[in-house]
Coordinates of all heavy atoms in Angstrom, one line a residue:
M1 N -25.2 -43.4 -4.9 CA -25.1 -44.9 -4.8 C -25.8 -45.3 -3.5 O -25.7 -44.7 -2.4 CB -23.7 -45.4 -4.8 CG -23.6 -46.8 -4.7 SD -21.8 -47.3 -4.8 CE -21.9 -49.0 -4.4
V2 N -26.6 -46.3 -3.6 CA -27.4 -46.8 -2.4 C -26.7 -48.0 -1.8 O -26.1 -48.8 -2.4 CB -28.8 -47.3 -2.9 CG1 -29.6 -47.9 -1.7 CG2 -29.6 -46.1 -3.5
K3 N -26.7 -48.0 -0.4 CA -26.0 -49.0 0.3 C -27.0 -49.6 1.4 O -27.8 -48.9 1.9 CB -24.8 -48.4 1.0 CG -23.9 -49.4 1.6 CD -22.5 -48.8 1.7 CE -21.5 -49.9 2.1 NZ -20.6 -50.2 1.1
L4 N -26.9 -50.9 1.6 CA -27.7 -51.5 2.6 C -26.8 -51.6 3.8 O -25.7 -52.3 3.8 CB -28.1 -52.9 2.2 CG -28.9 -53.0 0.9 CD1 -29.3 -54.5 0.6 CD2 -30.1 -52.2 0.9
R5 N -27.2 -51.0 4.9 CA -26.3 -51.0 6.1 C -27.1 -50.9 7.4 O -28.3 -50.8 7.4 CB -25.3 -49.9 6.1 CG -25.8 -48.5 6.1 CD -24.7 -47.5 6.0 NE -25.3 -46.1 6.0 CZ -24.6 -45.1 5.6 NH1 -23.5 -45.2 5.0 NH2 -25.2 -43.9 5.6
L6 N -26.4 -51.1 8.5 CA -27.0 -51.0 9.8 C -27.1 -49.6 10.4 O -26.1 -48.8 10.2 CB -26.2 -51.9 10.8 CG -26.1 -53.4 10.5 CD1 -25.2 -54.0 11.5 CD2 -27.5 -54.0 10.5
A7 N -28.2 -49.2 11.0 CA -28.4 -48.0 11.7 C -28.6 -48.3 13.1 O -29.5 -49.1 13.5 CB -29.6 -47.2 11.1
R8 N -27.8 -47.8 14.0 CA -27.8 -48.2 15.5 C -28.9 -47.4 16.2 O -29.0 -46.2 16.1 CB -26.4 -47.9 16.1 CG -26.4 -48.5 17.5 CD -25.0 -48.1 18.2 NE -24.8 -48.8 19.4 CZ -25.3 -48.6 20.6 NH1 -26.2 -47.6 20.7 NH2 -25.0 -49.3 21.6
F9 N -29.6 -48.1 17.0 CA -30.6 -47.5 17.9 C -30.4 -48.2 19.3 O -29.6 -49.1 19.4 CB -32.0 -47.7 17.4 CG -32.3 -46.9 16.1 CD1 -32.0 -47.4 14.9 CD2 -32.9 -45.7 16.2 CE1 -32.2 -46.7 13.8 CE2 -33.1 -44.9 15.1 CZ -32.8 -45.4 13.9
G10 N -31.2 -47.8 20.3 CA -31.1 -48.4 21.6 C -30.2 -47.6 22.5 O -29.5 -46.7 22.1
A11 N -30.3 -48.0 23.8 CA -29.6 -47.3 24.8 C -28.1 -47.7 24.8 O -27.7 -48.6 24.1 CB -30.2 -47.6 26.2
K12 N -27.3 -47.0 25.6 CA -25.9 -47.3 25.8 C -25.8 -48.8 26.3 O -26.5 -49.2 27.2 CB -25.3 -46.4 26.8 CG -23.8 -46.5 27.0 CD -23.2 -45.8 28.2 CE -23.3 -44.3 28.0 NZ -22.6 -43.6 29.1
K13 N -24.9 -49.5 25.7 CA -24.6 -50.9 26.1 C -25.8 -51.8 25.8 O -25.9 -52.9 26.3 CB -24.1 -51.0 27.5 CG -22.8 -50.3 27.7 CD -22.2 -50.6 29.1 CE -20.9 -49.9 29.2 NZ -20.2 -50.2 30.5
S14 N -26.8 -51.4 25.1 CA -27.9 -52.2 24.7 C -28.3 -51.9 23.3 O -29.4 -51.3 23.0 CB -29.1 -51.9 25.6 OG -30.2 -52.7 25.3
P15 N -27.4 -52.3 22.3 CA -27.7 -51.9 20.9 C -28.8 -52.6 20.3 O -29.1 -53.8 20.6 CB -26.4 -52.2 20.2 CG -25.8 -53.3 21.0 CD -26.2 -53.0 22.5
F16 N -29.4 -52.0 19.3 CA -30.5 -52.5 18.5 C -30.3 -51.9 17.1 O -30.1 -50.7 17.0 CB -31.9 -52.1 19.1 CG -33.0 -52.6 18.2 CD1 -33.4 -53.9 18.3 CD2 -33.7 -51.7 17.4 CE1 -34.5 -54.4 17.5 CE2 -34.7 -52.2 16.6 CZ -35.1 -53.5 16.7
Y17 N -30.3 -52.6 16.1 CA -30.0 -52.1 14.8 C -31.2 -52.3 13.8 O -31.9 -53.2 13.9 CB -28.8 -52.9 14.2 CG -27.5 -52.7 15.0 CD1 -27.2 -53.6 15.9 CD2 -26.7 -51.6 14.8 CE1 -26.0 -53.5 16.7 CE2 -25.5 -51.4 15.5 CZ -25.2 -52.4 16.5 OH -24.1 -52.2 17.2
R18 N -31.3 -51.3 12.9 CA -32.2 -51.4 11.8 C -31.4 -51.6 10.5 O -30.3 -51.0 10.4 CB -33.0 -50.1 11.6 CG -34.0 -49.9 12.7 CD -34.8 -48.6 12.5 NE -35.7 -48.3 13.6 CZ -36.4 -47.2 13.7 NH1 -36.2 -46.2 12.9 NH2 -37.2 -47.1 14.7
I19 N -31.8 -52.5 9.7 CA -31.2 -52.7 8.4 C -31.9 -51.8 7.4 O -33.1 -51.9 7.2 CB -31.3 -54.2 7.9 CG1 -30.6 -55.0 9.0 CG2 -30.6 -54.3 6.6 CD1 -30.9 -56.5 8.8
V20 N -31.2 -50.8 6.8 CA -31.8 -49.8 6.0 C -31.1 -49.7 4.6 O -29.9 -50.0 4.5 CB -31.8 -48.4 6.7 CG1 -32.6 -48.5 8.0 CG2 -30.3 -48.0 7.0
A21 N -31.8 -49.1 3.7 CA -31.3 -48.7 2.4 C -31.1 -47.2 2.5 O -32.0 -46.5 2.8 CB -32.2 -49.1 1.3
T22 N -29.9 -46.8 2.3 CA -29.5 -45.3 2.4 C -28.5 -44.9 1.4 O -27.8 -45.8 0.8 CB -29.1 -45.0 3.8 OG1 -28.9 -43.7 4.0 CG2 -27.8 -45.8 4.1
D23 N -28.4 -43.6 1.1 CA -27.4 -43.1 0.3 C -26.1 -43.2 1.0 O -26.0 -43.0 2.2 CB -27.7 -41.6 -0.1 CG -26.8 -41.1 -1.1 OD1 -26.9 -41.3 -2.3 OD2 -25.8 -40.4 -0.7
I24 N -25.0 -43.4 0.3 CA -23.7 -43.6 1.0 C -23.2 -42.3 1.7 O -22.4 -42.4 2.6 CB -22.6 -44.1 0.0 CG1 -22.4 -43.1 -1.1 CG2 -22.9 -45.5 -0.5 CD1 -21.2 -43.5 -2.0
H25 N -23.7 -41.2 1.3 CA -23.3 -39.9 1.9 C -24.0 -39.6 3.2 O -23.6 -38.7 3.9 CB -23.4 -38.8 0.9 CG -22.6 -39.0 -0.3 ND1 -21.3 -39.1 -0.4 CD2 -23.0 -39.3 -1.6 CE1 -20.8 -39.3 -1.6 NE2 -21.9 -39.5 -2.4
N26 N -25.1 -40.3 3.5 CA -25.8 -40.0 4.8 C -25.1 -40.6 6.0 O -24.3 -41.5 5.9 CB -27.2 -40.6 4.7 CG -28.1 -39.9 3.7 OD1 -27.8 -38.8 3.3 ND2 -29.2 -40.6 3.3
K27 N -25.4 -40.0 7.2 CA -24.8 -40.5 8.4 C -25.3 -41.9 8.7 O -26.4 -42.3 8.3 CB -25.1 -39.5 9.5 CG -24.5 -38.1 9.3 CD -24.8 -37.2 10.5 CE -24.3 -35.9 10.3 NZ -24.6 -34.9 11.4
R28 N -24.6 -42.6 9.6 CA -24.9 -43.9 10.0 C -26.4 -44.0 10.5 O -27.1 -44.9 10.1 CB -24.0 -44.5 11.0 CG -24.3 -45.9 11.5 CD -23.6 -46.3 12.7 NE -24.0 -45.5 13.9 CZ -23.5 -45.6 15.1 NH1 -22.5 -46.4 15.3 NH2 -24.0 -44.8 16.1
D29 N -26.7 -43.1 11.4 CA -28.0 -43.1 12.1 C -28.9 -42.0 11.5 O -30.0 -41.7 12.0 CB -27.9 -42.9 13.6 CG -27.1 -44.0 14.2 OD1 -26.9 -45.1 13.6 OD2 -26.5 -43.7 15.3
G30 N -28.6 -41.5 10.3 CA -29.3 -40.4 9.8 C -30.5 -40.9 8.9 O -31.0 -42.0 9.0
Q31 N -30.8 -40.0 7.9 CA -31.9 -40.3 7.0 C -31.7 -41.5 6.2 O -30.6 -41.8 5.8 CB -32.1 -39.1 6.1 CG -33.2 -39.2 5.1 CD -33.2 -37.9 4.2 OE1 -32.4 -37.1 4.3 NE2 -34.3 -37.8 3.4
Y32 N -32.7 -42.3 6.0 CA -32.6 -43.5 5.1 C -33.8 -43.5 4.2 O -34.8 -42.9 4.4 CB -32.5 -44.8 5.9 CG -33.7 -45.0 6.9 CD1 -34.8 -45.7 6.5 CD2 -33.5 -44.6 8.3 CE1 -35.8 -45.9 7.4 CE2 -34.6 -44.9 9.1 CZ -35.7 -45.5 8.7 OH -36.7 -45.8 9.6
I33 N -33.7 -44.3 3.1 CA -34.7 -44.4 2.1 C -35.8 -45.4 2.5 O -37.0 -45.1 2.4 CB -34.1 -44.9 0.8 CG1 -33.0 -43.9 0.3 CG2 -35.1 -45.1 -0.3 CD1 -32.1 -44.4 -0.8
E34 N -35.4 -46.6 3.0 CA -36.4 -47.6 3.4 C -35.8 -48.5 4.5 O -34.7 -48.9 4.5 CB -36.7 -48.4 2.2 CG -37.8 -49.4 2.4 CD -38.3 -50.1 1.1 OE1 -37.7 -49.9 0.1 OE2 -39.2 -51.0 1.3
L35 N -36.7 -48.9 5.4 CA -36.4 -49.8 6.5 C -36.6 -51.2 5.9 O -37.7 -51.6 5.4 CB -37.3 -49.6 7.7 CG -37.2 -50.6 8.8 CD1 -35.8 -50.5 9.5 CD2 -38.2 -50.2 9.9
L36 N -35.5 -52.1 6.0 CA -35.6 -53.4 5.4 C -35.6 -54.5 6.4 O -35.7 -55.7 6.0 CB -34.4 -53.6 4.4 CG -34.3 -52.5 3.3 CD1 -33.0 -52.7 2.5 CD2 -35.5 -52.6 2.4
G37 N -35.4 -54.2 7.7 CA -35.4 -55.3 8.7 C -34.8 -54.8 10.0 O -34.4 -53.6 10.1
T38 N -34.6 -55.7 10.9 CA -34.0 -55.4 12.2 C -33.1 -56.4 12.6 O -33.2 -57.6 12.2 CB -35.1 -55.2 13.3 OG1 -35.8 -56.4 13.4 CG2 -36.0 -54.1 13.0
Y39 N -32.1 -56.1 13.5 CA -31.1 -57.0 14.1 C -30.9 -56.7 15.5 O -30.6 -55.5 15.9 CB -29.8 -56.9 13.3 CG -28.6 -57.6 13.9 CD1 -28.7 -58.9 14.2 CD2 -27.5 -56.9 14.2 CE1 -27.6 -59.6 14.7 CE2 -26.4 -57.5 14.8 CZ -26.5 -58.9 15.0 OH -25.4 -59.5 15.6
N40 N -31.2 -57.6 16.4 CA -31.1 -57.4 17.8 C -30.0 -58.4 18.3 O -30.3 -59.6 18.6 CB -32.4 -57.7 18.5 CG -32.3 -57.3 20.0 OD1 -31.3 -57.0 20.5 ND2 -33.5 -57.3 20.7
P41 N -28.7 -57.9 18.5 CA -27.7 -58.8 19.0 C -27.8 -59.2 20.5 O -27.1 -60.0 20.9 CB -26.4 -58.0 18.7 CG -26.8 -56.6 18.8 CD -28.3 -56.6 18.3
M42 N -28.6 -58.5 21.2 CA -28.8 -58.8 22.7 C -29.6 -60.0 23.0 O -29.6 -60.5 24.1 CB -29.4 -57.5 23.4 CG -28.5 -56.3 23.2 SD -26.8 -56.4 23.7 CE -27.0 -56.4 25.5
M43 N -30.3 -60.5 22.0 CA -31.1 -61.7 22.3 C -30.2 -62.9 22.2 O -29.1 -62.9 21.6 CB -32.2 -61.8 21.2 CG -33.2 -60.7 21.1 SD -34.3 -60.6 22.5 CE -35.4 -61.9 22.0
D44 N -30.6 -64.1 22.7 CA -29.8 -65.3 22.6 C -30.7 -66.4 22.0 O -31.6 -66.9 22.7 CB -29.3 -65.7 24.0 CG -28.4 -66.8 23.9 OD1 -27.6 -66.9 22.9 OD2 -28.3 -67.6 24.9
P45 N -30.5 -66.8 20.8 CA -29.6 -66.3 19.8 C -30.0 -64.9 19.2 O -31.2 -64.5 19.4 CB -29.6 -67.3 18.7 CG -31.0 -67.9 18.8 CD -31.4 -67.8 20.3
P46 N -29.1 -64.2 18.6 CA -29.4 -62.9 18.0 C -30.6 -63.0 17.1 O -30.7 -63.9 16.3 CB -28.2 -62.5 17.3 CG -27.1 -63.2 17.9 CD -27.7 -64.5 18.4
E47 N -31.5 -62.0 17.2 CA -32.8 -62.0 16.4 C -32.6 -61.1 15.2 O -32.2 -60.0 15.2 CB -33.9 -61.4 17.3 CG -35.2 -61.3 16.6 CD -36.3 -60.7 17.5 OE1 -36.0 -59.6 18.0 OE2 -37.3 -61.4 17.6
V48 N -32.9 -61.7 14.0 CA -32.8 -61.0 12.7 C -34.2 -61.1 12.0 O -34.7 -62.2 11.8 CB -31.7 -61.6 11.8 CG1 -31.7 -60.9 10.5 CG2 -30.4 -61.5 12.5
K49 N -34.8 -60.0 11.7 CA -36.0 -60.0 10.9 C -35.7 -59.2 9.6 O -35.2 -58.1 9.7 CB -37.1 -59.3 11.7 CG -37.6 -60.1 12.9 CD -38.7 -59.3 13.6 CE -39.1 -60.1 14.9 NZ -40.1 -59.4 15.7
L50 N -36.1 -59.8 8.5 CA -35.8 -59.2 7.2 C -37.1 -59.2 6.3 O -37.9 -60.0 6.4 CB -34.7 -60.0 6.4 CG -33.4 -60.2 7.1 CD1 -32.6 -61.2 6.4 CD2 -32.7 -58.9 7.3
V51 N -37.1 -58.2 5.5 CA -38.2 -58.1 4.4 C -37.5 -58.5 3.1 O -36.9 -57.7 2.4 CB -38.8 -56.7 4.4 CG1 -39.9 -56.6 3.4 CG2 -39.3 -56.2 5.7
A52 N -37.6 -59.8 2.8 CA -36.8 -60.4 1.8 C -37.1 -59.8 0.4 O -36.2 -59.5 -0.4 CB -37.1 -61.9 1.7
D53 N -38.4 -59.6 0.0 CA -38.7 -59.1 -1.3 C -38.1 -57.7 -1.5 O -37.6 -57.4 -2.6 CB -40.2 -59.1 -1.6 CG -41.0 -58.4 -0.6 OD1 -40.6 -58.2 0.5 OD2 -42.1 -58.0 -1.0
R54 N -38.1 -56.8 -0.5 CA -37.6 -55.5 -0.7 C -36.0 -55.5 -0.7 O -35.4 -54.7 -1.4 CB -38.0 -54.6 0.5 CG -39.5 -54.3 0.4 CD -40.0 -53.8 -0.9 NE -39.5 -52.4 -1.2 CZ -39.5 -51.8 -2.4 NH1 -40.1 -52.4 -3.4 NH2 -39.0 -50.6 -2.5
I55 N -35.4 -56.4 0.0 CA -34.0 -56.5 0.0 C -33.5 -57.0 -1.4 O -32.6 -56.5 -2.0 CB -33.5 -57.5 1.1 CG1 -33.7 -56.8 2.5 CG2 -32.0 -57.9 0.9 CD1 -33.4 -57.8 3.6
R56 N -34.3 -58.0 -1.9 CA -33.9 -58.5 -3.3 C -34.1 -57.4 -4.3 O -33.4 -57.2 -5.3 CB -34.8 -59.7 -3.6 CG -34.4 -60.9 -2.9 CD -35.1 -62.2 -3.4 NE -34.8 -63.3 -2.5 CZ -35.6 -63.8 -1.5 NH1 -36.7 -63.2 -1.3 NH2 -35.1 -64.8 -0.8
Y57 N -35.2 -56.5 -4.1 CA -35.4 -55.4 -5.1 C -34.2 -54.5 -5.0 O -33.7 -54.1 -6.1 CB -36.7 -54.7 -4.7 CG -36.7 -53.3 -5.4 CD1 -37.0 -53.2 -6.7 CD2 -36.4 -52.1 -4.7 CE1 -37.1 -52.0 -7.4 CE2 -36.4 -50.9 -5.3 CZ -36.7 -50.8 -6.7 OH -36.7 -49.6 -7.3
W58 N -33.8 -54.0 -3.8 CA -32.7 -53.1 -3.7 C -31.4 -53.6 -4.3 O -30.6 -52.9 -5.0 CB -32.5 -52.6 -2.3 CG -33.5 -51.5 -2.0 CD1 -34.6 -51.7 -1.1 CD2 -33.6 -50.2 -2.5 NE1 -35.3 -50.5 -1.1 CE2 -34.7 -49.6 -1.9 CE3 -32.8 -49.5 -3.3 CZ2 -35.1 -48.3 -2.2 CZ3 -33.2 -48.2 -3.6 CH2 -34.3 -47.6 -3.0
M59 N -31.1 -54.9 -4.1 CA -29.9 -55.5 -4.6 C -30.0 -55.6 -6.1 O -29.0 -55.5 -6.8 CB -29.6 -56.8 -3.9 CG -29.3 -56.6 -2.5 SD -28.8 -58.1 -1.6 CE -27.2 -58.3 -2.3
S60 N -31.2 -55.8 -6.7 CA -31.4 -55.9 -8.1 C -31.2 -54.6 -8.8 O -30.8 -54.6 -10.0 CB -32.8 -56.5 -8.5 OG -33.8 -55.5 -8.2
V61 N -31.4 -53.5 -8.1 CA -31.2 -52.2 -8.8 C -29.8 -51.6 -8.4 O -29.5 -50.4 -8.7 CB -32.3 -51.2 -8.4 CG1 -33.6 -51.6 -9.0 CG2 -32.3 -50.9 -6.9
G62 N -28.9 -52.4 -7.8 CA -27.5 -52.0 -7.6 C -27.1 -51.6 -6.2 O -26.0 -51.2 -6.1
A63 N -27.9 -51.8 -5.2 CA -27.5 -51.5 -3.9 C -26.5 -52.5 -3.4 O -26.6 -53.7 -3.6 CB -28.7 -51.5 -2.9
Q64 N -25.5 -52.0 -2.7 CA -24.4 -52.8 -2.2 C -24.5 -53.0 -0.7 O -24.6 -52.0 0.1 CB -23.0 -52.2 -2.5 CG -22.7 -52.0 -3.9 CD -22.6 -53.4 -4.6 OE1 -21.9 -54.3 -4.1 NE2 -23.2 -53.5 -5.8
P65 N -24.6 -54.2 -0.1 CA -24.7 -54.4 1.3 C -23.3 -54.2 2.0 O -22.3 -54.5 1.4 CB -25.1 -55.9 1.4 CG -24.7 -56.5 0.2 CD -24.7 -55.5 -0.9
S66 N -23.3 -53.7 3.2 CA -22.1 -53.6 4.0 C -21.6 -55.0 4.4 O -22.4 -55.9 4.2 CB -22.3 -52.7 5.2 OG -23.2 -53.4 6.1
D67 N -20.4 -55.1 4.9 CA -19.9 -56.4 5.2 C -20.8 -57.1 6.3 O -21.1 -58.3 6.1 CB -18.5 -56.2 5.8 CG -17.5 -55.8 4.7 OD1 -17.8 -55.9 3.5 OD2 -16.4 -55.2 5.1
R68 N -21.2 -56.4 7.3 CA -22.0 -57.0 8.3 C -23.4 -57.4 7.8 O -23.9 -58.5 8.1 CB -22.1 -56.1 9.6 CG -22.8 -56.7 10.7 CD -22.1 -57.9 11.2 NE -22.9 -58.7 12.2 CZ -22.6 -59.9 12.6 NH1 -21.6 -60.5 12.1 NH2 -23.4 -60.5 13.4
V69 N -24.0 -56.6 7.0 CA -25.3 -56.9 6.4 C -25.2 -58.1 5.5 O -26.1 -58.9 5.5 CB -25.9 -55.6 5.7 CG1 -27.1 -56.0 4.9 CG2 -26.2 -54.6 6.7
K70 N -24.1 -58.2 4.8 CA -23.9 -59.3 3.9 C -23.9 -60.6 4.7 O -24.5 -61.6 4.3 CB -22.6 -59.1 3.1 CG -22.4 -60.1 1.9 CD -21.1 -59.9 1.2 CE -21.0 -58.5 0.6 NZ -19.8 -58.3 -0.2
V71 N -23.2 -60.6 5.8 CA -23.2 -61.8 6.7 C -24.6 -62.1 7.2 O -25.0 -63.3 7.2 CB -22.2 -61.6 7.9 CG1 -22.4 -62.7 8.9 CG2 -20.8 -61.5 7.4
L72 N -25.3 -61.1 7.6 CA -26.7 -61.4 8.1 C -27.6 -61.9 7.0 O -28.4 -62.8 7.2 CB -27.3 -60.1 8.7 CG -26.6 -59.5 10.0 CD1 -27.2 -58.2 10.3 CD2 -26.8 -60.5 11.1
L73 N -27.5 -61.3 5.8 CA -28.3 -61.8 4.7 C -28.0 -63.2 4.3 O -28.9 -64.0 4.0 CB -28.1 -60.9 3.5 CG -28.6 -59.4 3.6 CD1 -28.3 -58.6 2.4 CD2 -30.1 -59.4 3.9
N74 N -26.7 -63.6 4.2 CA -26.3 -64.9 3.8 C -26.9 -66.0 4.8 O -27.3 -67.1 4.3 CB -24.8 -65.0 3.7 CG -24.2 -64.3 2.5 OD1 -25.0 -64.1 1.6 ND2 -23.0 -64.0 2.6
S75 N -27.0 -65.7 6.1 CA -27.4 -66.7 7.0 C -28.9 -66.6 7.3 O -29.5 -67.6 7.8 CB -26.7 -66.5 8.3 OG -26.9 -65.2 8.9
N76 N -29.6 -65.5 6.8 CA -31.0 -65.4 7.2 C -32.0 -65.1 6.1 O -33.2 -65.1 6.3 CB -31.2 -64.3 8.3 CG -30.5 -64.6 9.6 OD1 -30.9 -65.6 10.2 ND2 -29.4 -63.9 9.9
L77 N -31.5 -64.8 4.9 CA -32.4 -64.4 3.8 C -33.4 -65.5 3.4 O -34.6 -65.2 3.1 CB -31.6 -64.0 2.6 CG -32.4 -63.2 1.6 CD1 -33.1 -61.9 2.2 CD2 -31.5 -62.8 0.4
D78 N -33.0 -66.8 3.6 CA -33.9 -67.9 3.2 C -35.1 -68.0 4.2 O -36.1 -68.5 3.9 CB -33.2 -69.2 3.1 CG -32.4 -69.5 4.3 OD1 -31.9 -68.6 5.0 OD2 -32.2 -70.7 4.6
K79 N -34.9 -67.5 5.5 CA -35.9 -67.6 6.5 C -36.7 -66.3 6.6 O -37.5 -66.1 7.5 CB -35.2 -67.8 7.9 CG -34.5 -69.2 7.9 CD -33.9 -69.4 9.3 CE -32.6 -68.8 9.4 NZ -31.9 -69.0 10.6
A80 N -36.4 -65.3 5.8 CA -37.0 -64.0 5.9 C -38.5 -64.0 5.5 O -39.0 -64.8 4.8 CB -36.3 -63.0 5.0
V81 N -39.2 -62.9 6.0 CA -40.6 -62.7 5.7 C -40.7 -62.0 4.3 O -40.0 -61.1 4.0 CB -41.2 -61.8 6.7 CG1 -42.7 -61.5 6.4 CG2 -41.1 -62.4 8.1
S82 N -41.6 -62.6 3.5 CA -41.7 -62.0 2.1 C -42.9 -61.0 2.1 O -43.7 -61.0 2.9 CB -42.0 -63.1 1.1 OG -40.8 -63.8 0.9

């Protein structure tokens, strides 16, 4: 099963996240199928960049977003880059 979730990058106390499509059995920061966007909570306001058409594709084939990704998608998918 494929899941859309955050993969953490960046230094200690300076997180930066990638929104990725990955198998549910992979580690949080491990191998992923496709990079779908980024989330930088350290910016003011937090910066979210999404690839809307690929996110819609993965959700159409049954990928489930994590709780945090679902919140990010609901507030930013209409402003995403296609």
